[in-house]
Amino acid sequence: MRDSHDEVRAILAEYIQSNGLKNTRQRDVILETFLAASGHTTIEELLFAVQKVNKAVGYATVYRTLKLFVDAGIASERKFGDGQTQYEIAKVDEHHDHLICRKCGKIFEFEDDIIERQQEIIAAQFGLKLTHHRMTLWGEPVDGNSCC
Amino acid sequence: MRDSHDEVRAILAEYIQSNGLKNTRQRDVILETFLAASGHTTIEELLFAVQKVNKAVGYATVYRTLKLFVDAGIASERKFGDGQTQYEIAKVDEHHDHLICRKCGKIFEFEDDIIERQQEIIAAQFGLKLTHHRMTLWGEPVDGNSCC
DNA sequence: ATACCTGCAAACTGTTTGCACGCGC
DNA sequence: GCGCGTGCAAACAGTTTGCAGGTAT
């Protein structure tokens, strides 16, 4: 955990340095908050958490910083169609999809080779080479076997 | 083609009647435009097409009418994360996913039992019963075997 | 000192809603 | 005539951007 976060910090530091950007208090706080959330977070959630440390930070800075994170390759955007964009820590060379509990909203990540392979077959049937995909499942807890 | 559209018209007429709603010129035009598009359409595209027939129609009416179509069960909303909501003709008891060509933007529909079954297995592994899902694939044409 | 960065507010996009008038039944 | 529908504009939510002043290097 520790070292994976350290790796993320290092990637960002390197990106900032080599692009002539600057380290700032705000970016530090937002990064730590983002890492602490360690899952799927929205701008709003991040902003509120960040404001507990630094009251003056506004939406614009969080938006701009998250965009920076995406550019630096440490975050990726997800749009589940519920309005707000979700951000998660980008793990290089790891792809996963999502399963969302409709009751508690919890988001699970998974990866499935059978599906991935099947997707390539489907794309090929239409004469296309699969570049990427997005798959989201929604489910409800079966009684007595709840996730929440 | 003809009869499938007629069926849609009938469903809407029935819905309008049994809910004390009214037939209007605008709804007719929007419905016919929607059917003619017969694929994935945005509010904007619909509006422009509708305005060729009736210049006065505004966004609000198209939005409200498409919402009516969704309520009536003849249209369904799709959010691909590119900003605008897409609408397509709802086919009862038929589910499909989408494959989008990154070059020409063409949207293909497909259905795959292997994937559907696998999705249920995955949900079950997390203690959830799959309620619905969304899957979108993006691909590029392989040279000489283009879709566009 | 020179960029870059920040905070604020204003702009923007896609969508929804309040209201006065119009029209279907 | 009653009530739903329409068109317009204003309101919204999420996000982006311009600007004046602040700060890291």
Side-chain angles (χ1 to χ4, degrees), chain B residues 22-23 60 63-64 67 84-85:
Chain B
K22 291 171 183 172
N23 283 312
Y63 274 110
R64 285 190 275 230
K67 187 146 291 176
Q84 296 180 209
T85 301

Side-chain angles (χ1 to χ4, degrees), chain B residues 26-91:
Chain B
Q26 291 87 331
R27 285 180 179 166
D28 282 348
V29 181
I30 295 172
L31 175 60
E32 291 310 318
T33 307
F34 177 58
L35 290 177
S38 92
H40 303 75
T41 332
T42 61
I43 295 289
E44 208 171 4
E45 287 169 356
L46 276 174
L47 178 65
F48 289 163
V50 165
Q51 286 187 334
K52 282 180 189 152
V53 180
N54 182 342
K55 210 133 199 291
V57 176
Y59 276 99
T61 301
V62 179
Y63 274 110
R64 285 190 275 230
T65 304
L66 265 289
K67 187 146 291 176
L68 166 68
F69 289 179
V70 172
D71 290 344
I74 65 169
S76 53
E77 284 187 357
R78 297 272 176 179
K79 302 191 182 187
F80 291 116
D82 60 348
Q84 296 180 209
T85 301
Q86 303 251 3
Y87 291 86
E88 63 183 43
I89 301 177
K91 285 142 195 153

Side-chain angles (χ1 to χ4, degrees), chain A residues 17-69:
Chain A
Q17 178 130 38
S18 63
N19 283 77
L21 308 180
K22 291 172 181 169
N23 283 311
T24 65
R25 248 169 292 119
Q26 290 88 331
R27 286 182 179 164
D28 282 348
V29 180
I30 296 172
L31 175 59
E32 291 311 316
T33 308
F34 177 57
L35 291 176
S38 95
H40 303 75
T41 331
T42 62
I43 294 290
E44 209 171 3
E45 287 168 355
L46 275 174
L47 178 65
F48 290 164
V50 164
Q51 286 186 336
K52 281 179 189 153
V53 179
N54 180 342
K55 209 131 200 291
V57 176
Y59 275 99
T61 300
V62 180
Y63 274 111
R64 285 190 276 228
T65 304
L66 266 288
K67 187 146 294 177
L68 166 67
F69 289 0

Side-chain angles (χ1 to χ4, degrees), chain A residues 1-137:
Chain A
M1 240 358 42
R2 184 88 296 224
D3 32 344
S4 111
H5 283 184
D6 275 347
E7 196 189 334
V8 171
R9 291 186 189 97
I11 295 173
L12 180 60
E14 146 69 8
Y15 182 87
I16 286 182
Q17 178 130 38
S18 63
N19 283 77
L21 308 180
K22 291 172 181 169
N23 283 311
T24 65
R25 248 169 292 119
Q26 290 88 331
R27 286 182 179 164
D28 282 348
V29 180
I30 296 172
L31 175 59
E32 291 311 316
T33 308
F34 177 57
L35 291 176
S38 95
H40 303 75
T41 331
T42 62
I43 294 290
E44 209 171 3
E45 287 168 355
L46 275 174
L47 178 65
F48 290 164
V50 164
Q51 286 186 336
K52 281 179 189 153
V53 179
N54 180 342
K55 209 131 200 291
V57 176
Y59 275 99
T61 300
V62 180
Y63 274 111
R64 285 190 276 228
T65 304
L66 266 288
K67 187 146 294 177
L68 166 67
F69 289 0
V70 172
D71 289 344
I74 64 170
S76 53
E77 284 187 358
R78 298 272 175 179
K79 302 191 180 186
F80 291 117
D82 61 348
Q84 295 179 211
T85 301
Q86 303 251 4
Y87 292 86
E88 64 183 42
I89 301 178
K91 284 143 195 151
V92 197
D93 60 62
E94 193 231 89
H95 164 77
H96 62 259
D97 293 296
H98 298 90
L99 167 61
I100 303 177
C101 173
R102 295 181 68 189
K103 194 173 172 206
C104 67
K106 192 182 280 185
I107 302 177
F108 301 98
E109 300 177 350
F110 67 89
E111 198 181 350
D112 189 278
D113 289 337
I114 295 178
I115 292 183
E116 310 261 320
R117 209 175 313 125
Q118 197 63 19
Q119 290 175 332
E120 282 169 16
I121 293 173
I122 292 164
Q125 285 170 356
F126 288 95
L128 296 178
K129 184 181 180 317
L130 190 68
T131 57
H132 64 289
H133 74 271
R134 212 187 45 192
M135 174 167 62
T136 307
L137 313 182

